[in-house]
Amino acid sequence: GVAGAIAAVAFGAERAGDREFAAVEEAHVSLKLMPLLSKQVIVDAVKVKGLRAHIVKAKDGKTNADDLATPAPAQGSADPGLKVDIAGVEIADATIHYTDAAAGTRYVLSKLNVKTGRIAPGVPTGVEFSAHVQGDKPRLDLQTALKTRLAFDPGQSLSLDDLDLDAKGTAAGITGLVLRAKGNLAAKLQSGEFTASKLAVALTGTS
């Protein structure tokens, strides 16, 4: 296999200043070489610690991430036979800032943690997510935690089973908010059809 580790790296720059676009304390990716040669990308592990990202959307609609984006391949040049299989993803203590200059809004995801099992088409996998979500227009300050079982078929379907969501804080003019949601969600991506089953939502707070 092929493994790579990165420590304390920063890259990118904002259009209107010198602030870094993103930085990471530690990152580790491990690839299996032989499947790669047979049009399969099999990743043993993806681990990222201390990610810091600043995404800025200018008034013209462009973002500071656009300069770093890889141009889309020409039509018909993508390889439909390429398959991706990731044994697991772990993101720890990430912080993502998002600023929309046109709307005059700012959002921050801090203490962001994500942990998954195997990620591959048609394979249900456990997902755990937690973050502190803050925003200014409208005021938003929520501690969130989510557990679910994810399954997907690229371009076709996406499902979240055994969803368990907790959120506490302030949102939409409601203080002392406590939100709890459980159930199953599914989407057919081509038709835009969404379905929910065994869905239970409880919300309390003061407006």
Side-chain angles (χ1 to χ4, degrees), residues 94-186:
T95 301
I96 300 174
H97 299 258
Y98 177 80
T99 301
D100 187 328
T105 58
R106 294 183 180 183
Y107 297 95
V108 180
L109 287 177
S110 59
K111 298 180 181 178
L112 173 63
N113 297 284
V114 178
K115 188 174 183 179
T116 78
R118 180 186 174 195
I119 300 176
V123 178
T125 185
V127 176
E128 296 182 11
F129 167 93
S130 63
H132 184 192
V133 184
Q134 295 171 290
D136 57 359
K137 292 181 181 180
R139 186 184 169 214
L140 182 68
D141 192 337
L142 290 173
Q143 295 284 352
T144 62
L146 169 71
K147 291 184 179 180
T148 190
R149 195 169 73 253
L150 166 73
F152 67 95
D153 183 3
Q156 299 294 323
S157 63
L158 174 71
S159 66
L160 299 175
D161 291 328
D162 300 327
L163 178 79
D164 190 345
L165 169 67
D166 279 295
K168 298 178 181 179
T170 300
I174 301 175
T175 59
L177 179 148
V178 177
L179 170 67
R180 185 76 183 271
K182 289 189 174 185
N184 305 315
L185 301 175

Side-chain angles (χ1 to χ4, degrees), residues 47-116:
K47 295 183 179 180
V48 179
K49 180 180 179 182
L51 171 68
R52 301 290 182 268
H54 295 265
I55 302 172
V56 179
K57 182 179 180 181
K59 292 183 178 180
D60 62 5
K62 296 180 180 179
T63 74
N64 58 335
D66 292 342
D67 293 336
L68 301 177
T70 302
Q75 186 174 3
S77 65
D79 187 351
L82 184 65
K83 298 180 180 179
V84 178
D85 192 327
I86 304 173
V89 173
E90 188 171 345
I91 300 173
D93 192 27
T95 301
I96 300 174
H97 299 258
Y98 177 80
T99 301
D100 187 328
T105 58
R106 294 183 180 183
Y107 297 95
V108 180
L109 287 177
S110 59
K111 298 180 181 178
L112 173 63
N113 297 284
V114 178
K115 188 174 183 179
T116 78

Side-chain angles (χ1 to χ4, degrees), residues 10-28:
F11 56 92
E14 290 186 2
R15 293 170 179 268
D18 296 327
R19 182 189 298 173
E20 66 195 15
F21 163 66
V24 62
E25 291 178 13
E26 297 177 21
H28 177 84

